Amino acid sequence: MTELPKKKSYFKPKELTCKCGCNRVEFDLGFLATLNAIREECDFSFPLSSAYRCPQHPIEARKEVTGAHCTGKAVDILASGEKALEIVRVALSHGIQRIGIQQKGSGRFIHLDGCTEDDGFPCPAMWSY
């Protein structure tokens, strides 16, 4: 279990915890620092719909290979329109090289992750859902 830092964070431990019921929080502290810096620069709040997911989380359990959320280096941010564009712009300036974009329908979000080829993920990468 990751001990989350005591210094100011825009994100509560509950937001970073797996939502499958296991209550595990194994969020990468370096990625959390980057996420806080992105939030600070954007200067608007952005709710997370997903952060850390354990391998037993229903979304991860359906996959052949677990995704970036299991590394603790990924979030899905509820955002659309101008705010989504600003999040992407600022994330790129902070070195984020993996971005997923879902901007149609009612469940619009931006996926940011800090994974690299060393984590087994193609990098850089941008995709749509």
Side-chain angles (χ1 to χ4, degrees), residues 99-112:
I99 299 173
I101 300 172
Q102 166 59 300
Q103 292 294 293
K104 60 184 179 204
S106 61
R108 296 173 188 222
F109 67 92
I110 299 295
H111 169 96
L112 302 179

Side-chain angles (χ1 to χ4, degrees), residues 15-28:
E15 290 180 280
L16 305 173
T17 302
C18 183
K19 294 179 177 36
C20 82
C22 71
N23 294 319
R24 287 172 51 192
V25 56
E26 296 183 19
F27 206 79
D28 182 89

Side-chain angles (χ1 to χ4, degrees), residues 44-76:
F44 56 81
S45 63
F46 42 74
L48 305 180
S49 62
S50 184
Y52 174 73
R53 293 182 196 147
C54 76
Q56 291 75 38
H57 185 285
I59 292 173
E60 300 301 327
R62 289 193 298 263
K63 299 176 181 178
E64 285 185 37
V65 177
T66 58
H69 285 270
C70 288
T71 69
K73 297 179 187 176
V75 293
D76 293 339

